[in-house]
Amino acid sequence: MKDVSTLTIIGGVNKEGIPENIKSIEFNKGEIIGIVGPTGSGKSTLIDDIEQLARGDTASRRHILINGEVPDVAIRVDPRLKLVAQLSQKMHFLADMTVEDFLSMHARSRGKNPKLVHRVLELANTLTGEPIALHQQLTALSGGQSRSLMTADIAIISDSPIVLIDEIENAGIRKQEALELLACEGKIVIVVTHDPVLALMATRRIVMKNGGMIDVITTTLHEQQLCYKIAEVDNWLLSLREIIRRGDLVEGTV
Amino acid sequence: MKLVVLAGTPGSGKTSVLLHTIKALLSLGNNPTVVKIDCLWTEDDQRFKKLGIPVRVGLAKDMCPDHFTIYNTEDMLKWAESEGSDMLLNETAGLCLRCAPYPDGCLAVCVIDVTAGPNTPLKVGPLLTTADIVVMTKGDVVSQAEREVFRERVLDVNPTCSIVEANGLTGKGSFELAELIRVFPDISIEMKLRYNPPLAICSLCTGEMRVARKYHMGVLRNLDGFMEYRGE
Ligand SMILES: Nc1nc2c(ncn2[C@@H]2O[C@H](COP(=O)(O)OP(=O)(O)OP(=O)(O)O)[C@@H](O)[C@H]2O)c(=O)[nH]1
Ligand SMILES: Nc1ncnc2c1ncn2[C@@H]1O[C@H](COP(=O)(O)OP(=O)(O)OP(=O)(O)O)[C@@H](O)[C@H]1O
Ligand SMILES: [Mg+2]
Ligand SMILES: [Mg+2]
């Protein structure tokens, strides 16, 4: 697979057709980048542009460069050469297939060994509450099960140098574990998030408004320190959530 | 003159994709004309007319829409020429998945909707398998993995096609399709179909309404797949 050392977004226009504040921004291998902004501000649209390696042909008119160059057409379309893996905001599968058929077909489309299916399933089941079975229909999976399977599928089958993640915190799955699975070393990871821990884990975050990139904030040292504290609180809340889920009493555990 | 035949299941996004592609073609200096063929009713012509290009509608009524398209291809081309056009874009009704209304000299484009699920490419038949370009629409509704699986299925049944991932709402893919149309050669004088239309000629084709088997004649196939000729 091609080595990706930088990814560049050349700014386009916002929803009003007015040029974005951010004219160009470059990300390096190993970075985690956050995308923040109110609902409807164009966060998903921005990562869709990256997934498609836009070349002025989307509503935002943005351009995406890899290693400073316009990427080859084949890299944009052929899953065997693709440089981007995307976990979208979708909570459900529409494909009328069993889990096994789907995963092995996906492995084939990415030029990977179909035997990976078992590893994907195993991993997905570490993220979800009720286990998924290979013979189940994809469309019958719950939202959280679908999201776990999508996450495991991306970590193992779509394993790519650029990883795009859209609001993993809303999936009802273990978000930090999921992020660790997807954001292995040496990748460029872009996370759309409203979650303070995830946002502060990023080295920089792009602020979206009205369809445009309006600002880039570099996470300060103080924010990084705060991130540890917030993570402690967050883990505590998560453990309470687990207790509630199990159907136990919170009383006495606090 | 170029001929582009755009086929695909109803509602797959043919008109939406074509509208964006026409805009791209106009901006590149081409003069496209459009003929929409449908069975009973369409308002696609109103959508095309907004772009200010010559548009015609053909309704096949009780004739098979693909047969109707083939039978009228010469007339459509003559009309396009009289309008001073350099390319005729023909949007078909695309209902019967047994036929494929593509002549050999045309650019055959099959528009297919990924939300219909990855088994769809196996069901669509010659419409898909004999196409030069397969346009996958509505990718915005499914995950990346589902798009990739769908694409693999398309290549299973048509390994030599070019695939364009398009979006009928945003216009994604329309410049790519416009470029593929522009580099495609003009039609030759004598065109032949790529795929033979259905064999069966039977009494139903000539207006028989009664169901009982004894009333039927012609080349007919039984439930078990056995084909026979019944008649004089
Ligand atoms: N989400 C989504 N919707 C789309 C896309 N392309 C088309 N649509 C919608 O799908 C519906 C049908 O689109 P048309 O372009 O009319 O489809 P068609 O194939 O021309 O339909 P007929 O001519 O009636 O067979 C419309 O509501 C479109 O807005 C797409 O890429 N994504
Ligand atoms: N630059 C742009 N130009 C034109 N339209 C845009 C642009 N950016 C976003 N949009 C449109 O705005 C709408 C909302 O965008 P999007 O879904 O990306 O928001 P979001 O920030 O992901 O929202 P949520 O937090 O609810 O997921 C979409 O219909 C999208 O097509
Ligand atoms: Mg979103
Ligand atoms: Mg139409």
Side-chain angles (χ1 to χ4, degrees):
Chain A
M1 196 179 290
K2 206 177 143 181
D3 193 46
V4 177
S5 46
T6 65
L7 170 75
T8 314
I9 307 174
I10 309 282
V13 295
N14 69 10
K15 289 190 200 173
E16 253 98 78
I18 300 164
E20 297 180 274
N21 275 0
I22 307 297
K23 306 283 174 238
S24 160
I25 177 168
E26 191 171 90
F27 312 127
N28 300 306
K29 196 170 161 172
E31 255 192 295
I32 298 182
I33 303 293
I35 298 178
V36 299
T39 50
S41 59
K43 303 182 294 294
S44 301
T45 306
L46 178 62
I47 64 166
D48 281 347
D49 283 344
I50 301 172
E51 198 269 336
Q52 295 164 33
L53 302 178
R55 38 173 192 180
D57 56 351
T58 60
S60 69
R61 307 273 157 233
R62 292 183 187 112
H63 291 258
I64 306 295
L65 307 182
I66 287 183
N67 299 337
E69 287 172 12
V70 176
D72 208 52
V73 181
I75 289 178
R76 298 181 74 197
V77 296
D78 186 349
R80 285 171 187 77
L81 305 172
K82 265 194 193 173
L83 301 172
V84 185
Q86 180 185 27
L87 180 68
S88 64
Q89 225 170 345
K90 317 260 151 22
M91 293 291 283
H92 291 281
F93 288 101
L94 293 180
D96 190 11
M97 291 173 102
T98 64
V99 171
E100 181 165 22
D101 287 348
F102 182 80
L103 292 177
S104 51
M105 194 86 188
H106 190 217
R108 179 148 76 91
S109 83
R110 282 261 179 176
K112 301 278 167 67
N113 188 339
K115 291 209 179 89
L116 290 176
V117 167
H118 299 279
R119 274 184 53 207
V120 176
L121 188 77
E122 213 173 288
L123 191 58
N125 283 336
T126 64
L127 297 173
T128 179
E130 300 269 314
I132 304 164
L134 282 180
H135 62 80
Q136 269 178 299
Q137 284 296 124
L138 280 180
T139 45
L141 300 181
S142 74
Q145 285 178 319
S146 301
R147 230 36 224 296
S148 308
L149 192 66
M150 288 176 187
T151 306
D153 173 61
I154 288 171
I156 293 176
I157 292 175
S158 309
D159 184 24
S160 309
I162 299 168
V163 183
L164 311 172
I165 303 168
D166 205 342
E167 298 201 17
I168 202 159
E169 64 266 28
N170 288 352
I173 59 174
R174 300 187 184 98
K175 65 181 182 210
Q176 256 155 311
E177 273 170 53
L179 186 68
E180 271 161 31
L181 281 177
L182 296 172
C184 338
E185 247 166 82
K187 294 194 174 187
I188 296 174
V189 181
I190 300 177
V191 197
V192 174
T193 187
H194 299 293
D195 184 272
V197 181
L198 298 185
L200 297 182
M201 272 167 72
T203 42
R204 287 181 284 170
R205 55 188 189 271
I206 300 174
V207 185
M208 300 296 299
K209 195 181 171 190
N210 198 23
M213 302 183 280
I214 58 160
D215 198 7
V216 180
I217 300 173
T218 303
T219 312
T220 64
L221 210 61
H222 190 201
E223 274 185 328
Q224 285 173 24
Q225 288 159 354
L226 276 177
C227 182
Y228 290 110
K229 278 197 195 151
I230 304 171
E232 272 170 29
V233 177
D234 199 48
N235 285 334
W236 180 61
L237 282 174
L238 281 178
S239 66
L240 293 183
R241 198 166 80 175
E242 278 310 308
I243 294 169
I244 301 271
R245 265 197 181 152
R246 278 202 309 269
D248 293 343
L249 284 183
V250 172
E251 205 181 87
T253 64
V254 183
Chain B
M1 173 74 65
K2 292 182 209 296
L3 173 62
V4 180
V5 178
L6 213 92
T9 47
S12 57
K14 300 182 290 296
T15 307
S16 307
V17 168
L18 207 46
L19 287 170
H20 287 287
T21 307
I22 291 168
K23 281 186 210 154
L25 288 166
L26 289 170
S27 77
L28 294 165
N30 292 99
N31 291 313
T33 40
V34 177
V35 175
K36 166 68 187 178
I37 304 290
D38 220 316
C39 300
L40 301 174
W41 178 88
T42 180
E43 54 179 16
D44 282 354
D45 49 326
Q46 304 304 324
R47 298 166 69 190
F48 289 122
K49 273 190 186 134
K50 291 202 182 109
L51 298 178
I53 57 163
V55 180
R56 275 186 84 173
V57 165
L59 292 180
K61 303 273 171 79
D62 48 8
M63 188 171 170
C64 155
D66 288 339
H67 290 204
F68 179 82
T69 304
I70 295 157
Y71 178 66
N72 286 293
T73 297
E74 225 172 67
D75 267 17
M76 293 195 275
L77 288 167
K78 275 199 197 120
W79 167 76
E81 206 145 316
S82 74
E83 293 284 347
S85 164
D86 58 346
M87 48 177 72
L88 172 68
L89 311 176
N90 172 207
E91 180 184 330
T92 72
L95 291 180
C96 158
L97 302 178
R98 174 57 184 78
C99 289
Y102 307 133
D104 51 6
C106 82
L107 180 65
V109 182
C110 176
V111 179
I112 184 164
D113 166 359
V114 300
T115 64
N119 291 328
T120 314
L122 308 177
K123 298 177 196 164
V124 174
L127 203 63
L128 177 63
T129 56
T130 64
D132 302 305
I133 299 175
V134 175
V135 176
M136 284 170 43
T137 56
K138 309 194 189 179
D140 54 314
V141 186
V142 300
S143 60
Q144 185 192 40
E146 277 177 277
R147 284 199 300 280
E148 290 172 359
V149 165
F150 196 92
R151 183 190 169 86
E152 192 70 10
R153 271 281 160 86
V154 168
L155 290 172
D156 274 349
V157 296
N158 187 344
T160 57
C161 71
S162 310
I163 295 183
V164 176
E165 290 191 26
N167 187 307
L169 303 179
T170 63
K172 174 192 169 191
S174 54
F175 266 89
E176 230 167 304
L177 184 57
E179 273 310 325
L180 290 166
I181 293 173
R182 280 161 57 84
V183 300
F184 196 76
D186 283 5
I187 46 172
S188 48
I189 308 155
E190 192 68 30
M191 289 194 289
K192 274 188 90 174
L193 286 177
R194 298 184 186 196
Y195 195 85
N196 64 298
L199 284 175
I201 294 298
C202 69
S203 38
L204 289 169
C205 305
T206 58
E208 180 57 68
M209 301 270 290
R210 291 169 296 185
V211 177
R213 190 162 259 210
K214 64 182 176 199
Y215 298 116
H216 297 278
M217 287 189 291
V219 183
L220 298 155
R221 190 187 294 278
N222 289 295
L223 267 183
D224 62 10
F226 182 72
M227 231 175 145
E228 60 180 341
Y229 171 75
R230 286 164 60 107
E232 282 161 36

